Amino acid sequence: MFPEMFAHYGSMIGGLMVLRAMVQQYLPAQLRNLVDRYVHKWMSLFDPHIQISFLEFTGQRMRSSEAYTAIENYLTKNVTSVAKRLKADSVKDSRSLVLSMDDYEEVTDEYKGAKVRWFLNRVSSKSSSVSMYGATEPPRYYTLTFHRKNRELIMQSYIRHVLTEGKAIASKNRQRKLYTNDPLYSRWNHVVFEHPATFETLAMDLDKKREIMNDLMKFTQRKEYYAKIGKAWKRGYLLYGPPGTGKSTMISAMANFLNYDVYDLELTAVKNNTELRRLLIETSSKSIMVIEDIDCSLDLTGQRKEGGDDNGGKDKSLVKKLTLKEKKKSSEVTLSGLLNFIDGIWSACGGERIIVFTTNHLDKLDPALIRRGRMDKHIEMSYCSYEAFKVLARNYLNIDDHPLYETIGLLFDKTNMTPADVAENLMPKSDDEDVEVCLRNLIQALEAVKEKAKKKAEEEAQAKAMRERQEKSPKWWRMSEKWAGSLLKKRR
C-alpha cells in the first residue's frame, strides 16, 4: 500500500515540476509568479522540512550581517572537515590555510540528536541590486534545513549555539584590519593592520600620553553613560600640528592600545553624501575612522552660506573651483554631509567608534567641523621636547642617559625640531656609528636648525624695521626709493 502511495505522490510531484517548467517558459511574468507561489505552497504540504535563510547583507547591502559572519566562522571550524568543495584563504605570517565552504556546497551537522543541513548559495544576479551598490558579484546566503519535528530545538537552542560559538571563534582568531574605501565600487577593501607603534614608543611628554590613554580607556567603559545622556557611543579626536610631529603614528598607537580596526577614509574618492553615509554604515564597532589632512582632502575652508546650519540646509559645497569637465569627476560631498557623517542621525549606527581628523593647518578648518561635540578632544602634536627625545633615544639607541644629554636638553629649549627629524638623526647609518656618534649628529643638526632660525629672525626683524622706516618717511621719499629700486633691478 505504502509503495503505491509513494509512487502516486511521486508521479504527481513530477507532473507538477513539468507543469512548472512549461509555465516558466510560456506564461507572462505575473502569471508565472502566481503559479509558482501556489505550486510551492502545495508542494510544502508533502515536505516535512523547514528552511531558514541567513543573508550576507542586511538593509539593501548597506551593512554586513553579524549572523552570517558568525555562521561562517562556526561552519569553518566545526563542519568544513566533511565538505567536498572548499575555498582556501591564506593568512599572513601563517604556514597554514584557512578553509571554508565554497559556493553551492552543502554540509550536515548534528545537535542533540537532530540532524541539519547547511547550504551556501548566491542570490540570483537578476534579483540582486548588484549594479546599484557597486558589488562585483551577487551576495551569498546560508540556508539551514531541518525536520519540522525538531523545530523548537533548532530555533530556540541550536541557532543560538551556532551564533554564540561563531562570535567566540571570531573574537579568538580576530586580526585587526586596515580598511580604505575603493573609489570604483564604493566599498571598503582591507589588509591586515600590522603597524608596531604603541604609546610606549610614541615620542611625546609622559603626562600628555597618560592623559590620552586615560581618555581612551574611559571612552571604552562608558556605554551605559552615553546611553544615559542620549548620545551616540563615539568620540572625536582632532590631531593638529606641523608635518612630522607623529599624527599618523598617534593613530596607530591608539588602534594598538584599544585593539580596534582602522578605517582610512579618502574623502576625494567619495562621490556624494549618500555614498559617504553608506560607507559609515558598513564600518564595524570597535573601530577608528580616520580622515588625514582634512584641510587638503576637500575645500573645507569656506564658510557656509547664511541661513545654513550645522546639520543641513544651505551650505557651501566642498568641491574645489574646477573647470566644468573636472567638476563632473570631482566629489560632491558637502559640509553638511560631512557634519551629519560625524554626529548626525546616521552616526549612531553601530557603537564604540572613534573618529580622528588630522590637519597641519588648524586655522583653515570651518569652526563647525571641529567644535566640541564633534571633535571632542583637540590634541596638539608639537615639536619634539626633551622628554620626547629621551623616548626616541631609548627606542633607537637603547639608552636612558648619557653625558651629552645636558647639551641636548639646552638645545631643545631653544630649537624647534620635529620628532621625525630627531629620529632620523638618531638612527645609526652604519655599523661604525655608536651611541655617541648618533648623539653628536643630533647636536649638529639642532645647532644648524638653531642658526637657521636665528638668521631667519634677523631677516624678519630687518624687513620689519625697513617697513616701519618707509611708513614714517615722506611720500616723495618713498616714491624715489621705489623708482631707484626698479631702475637698479633693470640694470642688473
Side-chain angles (χ1 to χ4, degrees):
M1 179 177 179
F2 286 105
E4 293 178 357
M5 184 183 300
F6 282 119
H8 178 66
Y9 285 141
S11 61
M12 289 179 63
I13 293 174
L16 285 172
M17 296 301 292
V18 173
L19 177 62
R20 184 181 181 183
M22 295 175 63
V23 166
Q24 291 283 348
Q25 185 173 359
Y26 296 109
L27 290 184
Q30 293 182 346
L31 289 177
R32 286 203 306 267
N33 294 335
L34 181 65
V35 172
D36 274 349
R37 186 163 61 251
Y38 280 102
V39 169
H40 179 75
K41 184 176 181 180
W42 191 88
M43 292 177 63
S44 65
L45 296 175
F46 300 93
D47 188 357
H49 294 93
I50 297 174
Q51 287 188 349
I52 303 177
S53 296
F54 300 86
L55 299 178
E56 184 177 7
F57 298 97
T58 59
Q60 293 290 317
R61 289 187 64 96
M62 294 186 78
R63 190 173 182 84
S64 299
S65 169
E66 294 183 4
Y68 178 92
T69 304
I71 292 169
E72 185 176 43
N73 292 327
Y74 172 84
L75 294 178
T76 297
K77 180 181 179 182
N78 297 284
V79 187
T80 304
S81 58
V82 299
K84 295 182 179 180
R85 300 174 65 248
L86 301 169
K87 293 183 298 184
D89 293 321
S90 61
V91 179
K92 195 167 185 178
D93 297 330
S94 175
R95 297 180 180 180
S96 61
L97 296 175
V98 176
L99 301 176
S100 58
M101 290 173 57
D102 199 359
D103 295 345
Y104 310 111
E105 177 64 4
E106 185 178 75
V107 294
T108 59
D109 191 21
E110 187 171 345
Y111 180 75
K112 294 183 179 181
K115 291 186 178 181
V116 300
R117 297 197 311 271
W118 287 98
F119 183 71
L120 179 58
N121 204 347
R122 280 190 180 276
V123 175
S124 170
S125 58
K126 295 181 179 180
S127 60
S128 64
S129 51
V130 177
S131 59
M132 182 180 297
Y133 295 100
T136 56
E137 53 188 19
R140 301 177 179 87
Y141 65 95
Y142 282 104
T143 300
L144 171 63
T145 305
F146 55 92
H147 199 283
R148 61 188 172 197
K149 68 179 181 181
N150 300 317
R151 183 188 190 110
E152 185 174 349
L153 174 67
I154 300 301
M155 291 187 171
Q156 296 185 5
S157 181
Y158 175 69
I159 294 178
R160 188 185 304 114
H161 162 73
V162 170
L163 298 181
T164 302
E165 186 169 340
K167 291 178 181 178
I169 294 170
S171 178
K172 181 180 179 181
N173 301 330
R174 181 173 179 265
Q175 283 186 310
R176 284 179 297 112
K177 298 175 182 177
L178 173 61
Y179 293 85
T180 185
N181 51 307
D182 187 331
L184 185 59
Y185 297 114
S186 305
R187 63 181 183 182
W188 294 106
N189 293 328
H190 70 266
V191 296
V192 176
F193 181 78
E194 296 178 309
H195 201 290
T198 64
F199 277 103
E200 184 178 352
T201 61
L202 189 65
M204 181 181 284
D205 292 339
L206 296 179
D207 291 341
K208 196 170 183 178
K209 281 198 286 188
R210 200 174 292 114
E211 178 189 346
I212 297 170
M213 293 167 68
N214 290 338
D215 189 79
L216 291 169
M217 285 305 300
K218 285 181 181 178
F219 167 75
T220 61
Q221 298 167 359
R222 286 189 167 184
K223 180 179 181 180
E224 292 77 12
Y225 176 76
Y226 276 85
K228 177 183 176 182
I229 63 177
K231 288 187 64 177
W233 191 15
K234 65 174 186 60
R235 189 159 177 80
Y237 290 82
L238 175 67
L239 309 182
Y240 65 96
T245 51
K247 294 183 287 293
S248 298
T249 306
M250 167 65 80
I251 295 169
S252 299
M254 293 168 68
N256 285 324
F257 180 69
L258 297 174
N259 197 28
Y260 280 9
D261 293 328
V262 178
Y263 288 84
D264 184 14
L265 178 64
E266 177 54 57
L267 272 181
T268 56
V270 182
K271 296 182 180 66
N272 49 47
N273 293 337
T274 301
E275 183 177 307
L276 181 66
R277 185 163 55 243
R278 184 164 62 249
L279 287 170
L280 172 67
I281 294 172
E282 290 181 350
T283 61
S284 62
S285 300
K286 295 183 180 295
S287 62
I288 299 177
M289 174 73 70
V290 180
I291 303 180
E292 292 200 83
D293 297 322
I294 191 169
D295 53 304
C296 301
S297 296
L298 291 171
D299 184 12
L300 302 178
T301 60
Q303 299 296 322
R304 288 159 291 150
K305 294 179 182 178
E306 294 183 6
D309 52 39
D310 288 355
N311 294 318
K314 302 175 182 178
D315 67 356
K316 178 178 178 178
S317 174
L318 303 184
V319 183
K320 294 181 179 179
K321 294 180 179 180
L322 305 172
T323 64
L324 181 61
K325 184 178 181 180
E326 289 172 325
K327 281 185 178 180
K328 292 180 179 179
K329 298 180 181 180
S330 63
S331 172
E332 295 179 0
V333 175
T334 61
L335 181 56
S336 65
L338 186 60
L339 298 182
N340 274 296
F341 173 84
I342 300 170
D343 68 348
I345 296 175
W346 289 92
S347 67
C349 297
E352 199 170 352
R353 182 184 290 118
I354 288 175
I355 300 175
V356 180
F357 288 171
T358 72
T359 180
N360 297 333
H361 307 284
L362 181 62
D363 57 325
K364 290 186 177 181
L365 298 181
D366 192 304
L369 187 66
I370 59 176
R371 68 162 173 80
R372 308 291 177 172
R374 291 197 172 111
M375 294 294 105
D376 305 283
K377 191 170 183 63
H378 295 190
I379 302 174
E380 182 180 5
M381 305 298 291
S382 58
Y383 291 103
C384 190
S385 65
Y386 179 60
E387 291 296 326
F389 152 74
K390 289 195 290 186
V391 175
L392 291 173
R394 191 181 307 117
N395 295 342
Y396 285 82
L397 303 177
N398 197 27
I399 59 172
D400 291 315
D401 198 7
H402 193 276
L404 293 175
Y405 270 26
E406 184 177 355
T407 303
I408 293 174
L410 293 174
L411 286 170
F412 270 117
D413 291 338
K414 303 175 182 178
T415 309
N416 289 333
M417 180 178 283
T418 65
D421 290 332
V422 173
E424 179 62 25
N425 284 283
L426 288 177
M427 182 179 293
K429 305 301 187 295
S430 65
D431 296 336
D432 298 334
E433 292 189 358
D434 58 9
V435 171
E436 185 162 346
V437 171
C438 293
L439 292 178
R440 291 195 179 279
N441 289 340
L442 176 61
I443 291 173
Q444 291 178 4
L446 286 169
E447 289 175 343
V449 172
K450 180 182 176 182
E451 186 63 29
K452 184 177 180 180
K454 181 181 178 181
K455 184 178 180 181
K456 183 178 180 182
E458 291 175 352
E459 291 176 351
E460 290 178 349
Q462 291 176 359
K464 182 179 179 182
M466 183 177 293
R467 286 196 301 270
E468 291 176 350
R469 187 174 66 252
Q470 289 177 346
E471 289 174 358
K472 294 178 181 179
S473 61
K475 184 176 180 181
W476 63 269
W477 180 257
R478 294 199 303 269
M479 294 295 294
S480 63
E481 279 189 334
K482 184 177 180 181
W483 176 80
S486 62
L487 183 62
L488 182 61
K489 186 177 180 181
K490 287 182 180 180
R491 289 184 176 179
R492 288 179 179 176

PDB file of all heavy atoms in Angstrom, residues 429-449:
ATOM      1  N   LYS A 429      73.552  55.104  10.807  1.00  0.00           N
ATOM      2  CA  LYS A 429      73.594  54.940   9.353  1.00  0.00           C
ATOM      3  C   LYS A 429      74.502  53.785   8.929  1.00  0.00           C
ATOM      4  O   LYS A 429      74.450  53.332   7.789  1.00  0.00           O
ATOM      5  CB  LYS A 429      74.098  56.237   8.692  1.00  0.00           C
ATOM      6  CG  LYS A 429      73.282  57.479   9.077  1.00  0.00           C
ATOM      7  CD  LYS A 429      71.821  57.338   8.705  1.00  0.00           C
ATOM      8  CE  LYS A 429      71.072  58.645   8.930  1.00  0.00           C
ATOM      9  NZ  LYS A 429      71.019  59.027  10.356  1.00  0.00           N
ATOM     10  N   SER A 430      75.352  53.336   9.845  1.00  0.00           N
ATOM     11  CA  SER A 430      76.257  52.216   9.549  1.00  0.00           C
ATOM     12  C   SER A 430      76.623  51.533  10.857  1.00  0.00           C
ATOM     13  O   SER A 430      76.319  52.027  11.951  1.00  0.00           O
ATOM     14  CB  SER A 430      77.512  52.709   8.816  1.00  0.00           C
ATOM     15  OG  SER A 430      78.276  53.555   9.669  1.00  0.00           O
ATOM     16  N   ASP A 431      77.291  50.392  10.749  1.00  0.00           N
ATOM     17  CA  ASP A 431      77.710  49.655  11.945  1.00  0.00           C
ATOM     18  C   ASP A 431      78.783  50.395  12.733  1.00  0.00           C
ATOM     19  O   ASP A 431      78.995  50.106  13.910  1.00  0.00           O
ATOM     20  CB  ASP A 431      78.227  48.270  11.548  1.00  0.00           C
ATOM     21  CG  ASP A 431      77.137  47.410  10.921  1.00  0.00           C
ATOM     22  OD1 ASP A 431      75.947  47.680  11.206  1.00  0.00           O
ATOM     23  OD2 ASP A 431      77.470  46.487  10.156  1.00  0.00           O
ATOM     24  N   ASP A 432      79.481  51.347  12.085  1.00  0.00           N
ATOM     25  CA  ASP A 432      80.562  52.070  12.756  1.00  0.00           C
ATOM     26  C   ASP A 432      80.043  53.173  13.675  1.00  0.00           C
ATOM     27  O   ASP A 432      80.784  53.677  14.528  1.00  0.00           O
ATOM     28  CB  ASP A 432      81.508  52.693  11.714  1.00  0.00           C
ATOM     29  CG  ASP A 432      82.169  51.622  10.856  1.00  0.00           C
ATOM     30  OD1 ASP A 432      82.306  50.486  11.347  1.00  0.00           O
ATOM     31  OD2 ASP A 432      82.529  51.925   9.706  1.00  0.00           O
ATOM     32  N   GLU A 433      78.806  53.571  13.504  1.00  0.00           N
ATOM     33  CA  GLU A 433      78.256  54.665  14.304  1.00  0.00           C
ATOM     34  C   GLU A 433      77.749  54.135  15.646  1.00  0.00           C
ATOM     35  O   GLU A 433      76.808  53.342  15.694  1.00  0.00           O
ATOM     36  CB  GLU A 433      77.124  55.367  13.548  1.00  0.00           C
ATOM     37  CG  GLU A 433      77.589  56.123  12.323  1.00  0.00           C
ATOM     38  CD  GLU A 433      76.485  56.985  11.719  1.00  0.00           C
ATOM     39  OE1 GLU A 433      75.358  56.948  12.263  1.00  0.00           O
ATOM     40  OE2 GLU A 433      76.739  57.677  10.729  1.00  0.00           O
ATOM     41  N   ASP A 434      78.386  54.573  16.730  1.00  0.00           N
ATOM     42  CA  ASP A 434      77.941  54.170  18.053  1.00  0.00           C
ATOM     43  C   ASP A 434      77.001  55.222  18.628  1.00  0.00           C
ATOM     44  O   ASP A 434      76.591  56.170  17.936  1.00  0.00           O
ATOM     45  CB  ASP A 434      79.146  53.943  18.968  1.00  0.00           C
ATOM     46  CG  ASP A 434      80.027  55.184  19.082  1.00  0.00           C
ATOM     47  OD1 ASP A 434      79.612  56.258  18.585  1.00  0.00           O
ATOM     48  OD2 ASP A 434      81.131  55.082  19.643  1.00  0.00           O
ATOM     49  N   VAL A 435      76.662  55.067  19.908  1.00  0.00           N
ATOM     50  CA  VAL A 435      75.713  55.955  20.555  1.00  0.00           C
ATOM     51  C   VAL A 435      76.187  57.402  20.535  1.00  0.00           C
ATOM     52  O   VAL A 435      75.435  58.322  20.188  1.00  0.00           O
ATOM     53  CB  VAL A 435      75.467  55.487  22.004  1.00  0.00           C
ATOM     54  CG1 VAL A 435      74.644  56.532  22.761  1.00  0.00           C
ATOM     55  CG2 VAL A 435      74.748  54.140  22.015  1.00  0.00           C
ATOM     56  N   GLU A 436      77.450  57.615  20.866  1.00  0.00           N
ATOM     57  CA  GLU A 436      77.967  58.974  20.949  1.00  0.00           C
ATOM     58  C   GLU A 436      77.975  59.656  19.581  1.00  0.00           C
ATOM     59  O   GLU A 436      77.665  60.850  19.468  1.00  0.00           O
ATOM     60  CB  GLU A 436      79.378  58.977  21.536  1.00  0.00           C
ATOM     61  CG  GLU A 436      79.924  60.384  21.749  1.00  0.00           C
ATOM     62  CD  GLU A 436      81.094  60.415  22.699  1.00  0.00           C
ATOM     63  OE1 GLU A 436      81.320  59.406  23.387  1.00  0.00           O
ATOM     64  OE2 GLU A 436      81.775  61.445  22.746  1.00  0.00           O
ATOM     65  N   VAL A 437      78.292  58.914  18.542  1.00  0.00           N
ATOM     66  CA  VAL A 437      78.286  59.489  17.189  1.00  0.00           C
ATOM     67  C   VAL A 437      76.873  59.943  16.821  1.00  0.00           C
ATOM     68  O   VAL A 437      76.680  61.036  16.277  1.00  0.00           O
ATOM     69  CB  VAL A 437      78.822  58.466  16.170  1.00  0.00           C
ATOM     70  CG1 VAL A 437      78.621  58.976  14.744  1.00  0.00           C
ATOM     71  CG2 VAL A 437      80.298  58.168  16.416  1.00  0.00           C
ATOM     72  N   CYS A 438      75.883  59.116  17.125  1.00  0.00           N
ATOM     73  CA  CYS A 438      74.495  59.462  16.788  1.00  0.00           C
ATOM     74  C   CYS A 438      74.039  60.697  17.572  1.00  0.00           C
ATOM     75  O   CYS A 438      73.363  61.575  17.019  1.00  0.00           O
ATOM     76  CB  CYS A 438      73.584  58.278  17.086  1.00  0.00           C
ATOM     77  SG  CYS A 438      73.864  56.842  16.015  1.00  0.00           S
ATOM     78  N   LEU A 439      74.401  60.769  18.840  1.00  0.00           N
ATOM     79  CA  LEU A 439      74.018  61.924  19.647  1.00  0.00           C
ATOM     80  C   LEU A 439      74.692  63.198  19.155  1.00  0.00           C
ATOM     81  O   LEU A 439      74.079  64.273  19.140  1.00  0.00           O
ATOM     82  CB  LEU A 439      74.357  61.670  21.112  1.00  0.00           C
ATOM     83  CG  LEU A 439      73.525  60.587  21.817  1.00  0.00           C
ATOM     84  CD1 LEU A 439      74.002  60.395  23.248  1.00  0.00           C
ATOM     85  CD2 LEU A 439      72.040  60.923  21.799  1.00  0.00           C
ATOM     86  N   ARG A 440      75.950  63.087  18.746  1.00  0.00           N
ATOM     87  CA  ARG A 440      76.649  64.266  18.216  1.00  0.00           C
ATOM     88  C   ARG A 440      76.061  64.689  16.871  1.00  0.00           C
ATOM     89  O   ARG A 440      76.026  65.880  16.542  1.00  0.00           O
ATOM     90  CB  ARG A 440      78.140  63.980  18.099  1.00  0.00           C
ATOM     91  CG  ARG A 440      78.825  63.845  19.460  1.00  0.00           C
ATOM     92  CD  ARG A 440      80.332  63.931  19.369  1.00  0.00           C
ATOM     93  NE  ARG A 440      80.942  63.819  20.689  1.00  0.00           N
ATOM     94  CZ  ARG A 440      81.044  64.822  21.558  1.00  0.00           C
ATOM     95  NH1 ARG A 440      80.576  66.023  21.242  1.00  0.00           N
ATOM     96  NH2 ARG A 440      81.618  64.628  22.736  1.00  0.00           N
ATOM     97  N   ASN A 441      75.607  63.726  16.073  1.00  0.00           N
ATOM     98  CA  ASN A 441      74.909  64.068  14.828  1.00  0.00           C
ATOM     99  C   ASN A 441      73.658  64.887  15.123  1.00  0.00           C
ATOM    100  O   ASN A 441      73.340  65.858  14.423  1.00  0.00           O
ATOM    101  CB  ASN A 441      74.530  62.804  14.068  1.00  0.00           C
ATOM    102  CG  ASN A 441      75.735  62.106  13.459  1.00  0.00           C
ATOM    103  OD1 ASN A 441      76.795  62.721  13.272  1.00  0.00           O
ATOM    104  ND2 ASN A 441      75.580  60.826  13.147  1.00  0.00           N
ATOM    105  N   LEU A 442      72.949  64.482  16.181  1.00  0.00           N
ATOM    106  CA  LEU A 442      71.742  65.213  16.563  1.00  0.00           C
ATOM    107  C   LEU A 442      72.102  66.615  17.038  1.00  0.00           C
ATOM    108  O   LEU A 442      71.408  67.587  16.701  1.00  0.00           O
ATOM    109  CB  LEU A 442      70.992  64.454  17.654  1.00  0.00           C
ATOM    110  CG  LEU A 442      69.748  65.153  18.222  1.00  0.00           C
ATOM    111  CD1 LEU A 442      68.707  65.388  17.136  1.00  0.00           C
ATOM    112  CD2 LEU A 442      69.143  64.341  19.361  1.00  0.00           C
ATOM    113  N   ILE A 443      73.165  66.747  17.815  1.00  0.00           N
ATOM    114  CA  ILE A 443      73.586  68.065  18.303  1.00  0.00           C
ATOM    115  C   ILE A 443      73.925  68.989  17.140  1.00  0.00           C
ATOM    116  O   ILE A 443      73.524  70.159  17.110  1.00  0.00           O
ATOM    117  CB  ILE A 443      74.791  67.915  19.258  1.00  0.00           C
ATOM    118  CG1 ILE A 443      74.342  67.244  20.561  1.00  0.00           C
ATOM    119  CG2 ILE A 443      75.417  69.271  19.560  1.00  0.00           C
ATOM    120  CD1 ILE A 443      75.488  66.911  21.502  1.00  0.00           C
ATOM    121  N   GLN A 444      74.636  68.463  16.144  1.00  0.00           N
ATOM    122  CA  GLN A 444      74.973  69.268  14.965  1.00  0.00           C
ATOM    123  C   GLN A 444      73.714  69.701  14.225  1.00  0.00           C
ATOM    124  O   GLN A 444      73.602  70.853  13.774  1.00  0.00           O
ATOM    125  CB  GLN A 444      75.892  68.470  14.038  1.00  0.00           C
ATOM    126  CG  GLN A 444      77.286  68.226  14.601  1.00  0.00           C
ATOM    127  CD  GLN A 444      78.143  67.382  13.671  1.00  0.00           C
ATOM    128  OE1 GLN A 444      77.723  67.037  12.561  1.00  0.00           O
ATOM    129  NE2 GLN A 444      79.348  67.040  14.105  1.00  0.00           N
ATOM    130  N   ALA A 445      72.760  68.790  14.101  1.00  0.00           N
ATOM    131  CA  ALA A 445      71.516  69.123  13.408  1.00  0.00           C
ATOM    132  C   ALA A 445      70.733  70.184  14.183  1.00  0.00           C
ATOM    133  O   ALA A 445      70.170  71.123  13.589  1.00  0.00           O
ATOM    134  CB  ALA A 445      70.670  67.866  13.231  1.00  0.00           C
ATOM    135  N   LEU A 446      70.676  70.055  15.509  1.00  0.00           N
ATOM    136  CA  LEU A 446      69.978  71.047  16.323  1.00  0.00           C
ATOM    137  C   LEU A 446      70.645  72.418  16.226  1.00  0.00           C
ATOM    138  O   LEU A 446      69.951  73.448  16.138  1.00  0.00           O
ATOM    139  CB  LEU A 446      69.949  70.585  17.789  1.00  0.00           C
ATOM    140  CG  LEU A 446      68.986  69.437  18.115  1.00  0.00           C
ATOM    141  CD1 LEU A 446      69.257  68.903  19.523  1.00  0.00           C
ATOM    142  CD2 LEU A 446      67.535  69.890  17.990  1.00  0.00           C
ATOM    143  N   GLU A 447      71.969  72.453  16.240  1.00  0.00           N
ATOM    144  CA  GLU A 447      72.688  73.724  16.120  1.00  0.00           C
ATOM    145  C   GLU A 447      72.447  74.359  14.755  1.00  0.00           C
ATOM    146  O   GLU A 447      72.312  75.586  14.643  1.00  0.00           O
ATOM    147  CB  GLU A 447      74.173  73.500  16.363  1.00  0.00           C
ATOM    148  CG  GLU A 447      74.506  73.189  17.827  1.00  0.00           C
ATOM    149  CD  GLU A 447      75.964  72.863  18.041  1.00  0.00           C
ATOM    150  OE1 GLU A 447      76.649  72.554  17.023  1.00  0.00           O
ATOM    151  OE2 GLU A 447      76.434  72.912  19.191  1.00  0.00           O
ATOM    152  N   ALA A 448      72.377  73.509  13.705  1.00  0.00           N
ATOM    153  CA  ALA A 448      72.110  74.038  12.365  1.00  0.00           C
ATOM    154  C   ALA A 448      70.709  74.637  12.290  1.00  0.00           C
ATOM    155  O   ALA A 448      70.499  75.713  11.710  1.00  0.00           O
ATOM    156  CB  ALA A 448      72.266  72.921  11.328  1.00  0.00           C
ATOM    157  N   VAL A 449      69.722  73.948  12.883  1.00  0.00           N
ATOM    158  CA  VAL A 449      68.353  74.468  12.906  1.00  0.00           C
ATOM    159  C   VAL A 449      68.290  75.758  13.718  1.00  0.00           C
ATOM    160  O   VAL A 449      67.607  76.724  13.332  1.00  0.00           O
ATOM    161  CB  VAL A 449      67.396  73.408  13.490  1.00  0.00           C
ATOM    162  CG1 VAL A 449      66.014  74.002  13.709  1.00  0.00           C
ATOM    163  CG2 VAL A 449      67.299  72.205  12.561  1.00  0.00           C
TER     164      VAL A 449
END
